[in-house]
Structure formats: C-alpha cells, structure tokens
Amino acid sequence: MEIPDVIKGILILVFVFVPIEKALAFHHQKLLREGWFTDLCYYFSGYFIGHGTTKLLIIFVLMSQGSIPILSKFVGQQTLVLQVTVAIFIGDLCFYFAHRLLHTVPWLWQFHVIHHSSTHIDWLATVRVHPFEQILTKACQMIPLYLLGFSSEALAIYIIFSSAIAFFIHANVRVKFPILKWLIATPEFHRWHHDRYPQKYAQNLAVQLPILDYIFGTLYMPENEQPKLYGTRLNASTNYFNHLIYPFKNWNKKNADK
Ligand SMILES: [Zn+2]
Ligand SMILES: [Zn+2]
C-alpha cells in the first residue's frame, strides 16, 4: 500500500527537524510543547487547502486567458536559474505587502493573529495559519507568477523552495548565519517577527528576502540579542475549531490582541 503524500510529508519533516532541533535548540522546550496537537490539525487541513487553492488558481488563470502573452514569451525564454530568482523576488514582494496588510488592517489581523498566537516557535508552528489567510497569501503570491508566464519547472522549484524556507525560518535552532542572514530569511530573522513585544509595529515581514524589509523600513535584527517571548494575548491552547471561528467572532475588534 502506497503511503499518501500528506503522511510522507509529515514523516519527512519529523525526521529532518526533530533531530536538528534536539541537537541545536535555541529555546529548550518539550517536543510535544503547548499547542502541538492544534498545529498538527493545521498541518493536515493546510495540506489539502494548499493543494486545492493551487488547483483553483490555475483554473482561474486559465479561464482568464492564461498568462500575459508578450511578457510570458519573454519570461519563458530566460534561463531556469534567472526565472526562479525573479519568481522568488516577485513572490516575496507580493507576500510582503499582503503580510503588511494582515498586520495593519484590523479585520485582517484577526485572521493573522492565529499565526502569532504560538508561544513556542518551532518547525511545526509554521503551519498555524488560518485557512482564509492561507488562501489569501497564496493567491497574492501565485497569481502574479502565473500571469507573468514563468515556466512550470520554475514555478515547481519556487513552490518547493517556498515551503522549505517557511519551515526553516520557524526552526528552533541557535545556528547563526552571519552573512547569509542579510541575503535570505533565517530563523534569527523570523523569530523577531514573532516577538511578543516588537520594537516596530510590524517587523521582518518578508519570509524569503530580508532586503525587502530593509528597503521598506521594517527590518529589525540587532546583533547579540534575541527575543525571549512569543505570542499574543490570544490563548495558544485554544483548540483548532476555536481558532477557525475566532476572526468571525472578533470582526470589529481593533488590534487589541497584539
Ligand atoms: Zn505576521
Ligand atoms: Zn511565522
């Protein structure tokens, strides 16, 4: 019997990240820390929501005449390396602005607060994302890339890279990347995004390219300092189904949970 991809995925993540986090832990925390089961529910639901969203976006783009012809001819002629590099830049730029809105528009924050409710940041915390936010950010990242006509190989590499770096930046590891950290998002970079008491209203909003935060004035990565507490006032132990309805119950709230 063939093992379903969703199970293979979680097994690969466990085999890769559990030993690494055990050996190189930044914060010493239990493997089954608070909220682990909630996050496991997010992993399984998010897997299917992610795949469904990708299929719907492709159908949507095809129904709306597909990619922009002049651009797609030009983009499709470029080397695979250049296409992937540009796709990362455009994808993260779109994510940056969507993420900025998630932090600054009160009703959007009620969805995004779920991701920030984790009091323990590790690889499994990556997937704690409300389904509405998951669909919104995926559409913001992928629709421009589909319309620009990147090759299917370039998009496939981009999607794998995006997933891998999302888990990497949440990893509970103390490893520092002295030069690399300015070029590509690292755990040190993203931990500051989850800081319980951020220095800036929203800091380190990119998830792949820290230079975007540098350009837009939201970079915060001081030397020799690390955040000590994560989370928001939203109780991290709230179960999965309470998370799902949370934004709808708090629609009119200002950003009081921060
Ligand atoms: Zn955020
Ligand atoms: Zn995060």
Side-chain angles (χ1 to χ4, degrees), residues 46-209:
Y47 179 91
F48 294 107
I49 291 166
H51 278 68
T53 308
T54 302
K55 281 184 186 143
L56 284 177
L57 289 177
I58 291 170
I59 292 167
F60 168 76
V61 171
L62 288 174
M63 279 173 61
S64 53
Q65 309 298 312
S67 52
I68 304 162
I70 304 170
L71 280 174
S72 71
K73 205 172 170 202
F74 175 74
V75 172
Q77 281 173 348
Q78 306 307 313
T79 62
L80 187 60
V81 174
L82 185 58
Q83 284 193 56
V84 173
T85 308
V86 175
I88 290 170
F89 185 80
I90 293 172
D92 207 29
L93 186 66
C94 294
F95 181 87
Y96 177 92
F97 283 109
H99 195 181
R100 199 164 172 148
L101 289 175
L102 286 163
H103 274 262
T104 49
V105 177
W107 70 267
L108 285 174
W109 169 252
Q110 300 308 329
F111 289 94
H112 190 52
V113 71
I114 301 295
H115 183 62
H116 282 267
S117 70
S118 294
T119 50
H120 297 83
I121 303 303
D122 59 14
W123 65 275
L124 190 56
T126 311
V127 291
R128 187 182 289 197
V129 176
H130 192 283
F132 172 80
E133 181 190 332
Q134 189 185 356
I135 294 165
L136 177 79
T137 51
K138 192 154 191 122
C140 289
Q141 276 177 301
M142 296 309 296
I143 288 177
L145 299 182
Y146 288 133
L147 291 177
L148 288 170
F150 287 91
S151 68
S152 48
E153 292 88 352
L155 289 178
I157 295 171
Y158 170 75
I159 289 168
I160 293 167
F161 172 78
S162 300
S163 303
I165 200 161
F167 284 102
F168 168 67
I169 63 175
H170 288 91
N172 175 31
V173 291
R174 60 175 182 270
V175 184
K176 291 210 167 198
F177 301 88
I179 296 167
L180 195 70
K181 73 177 184 181
W182 303 109
L183 300 174
I184 201 92
T186 56
E188 181 186 358
F189 170 80
H190 195 66
R191 270 198 288 270
W192 282 113
H193 181 65
H194 281 271
D195 189 9
R196 177 71 182 86
Y197 305 105
Q199 298 296 309
K200 299 180 185 226
Y201 184 70
Q203 60 200 23
N204 300 2
L205 293 162
V207 280
Q208 293 165 358
L209 303 172

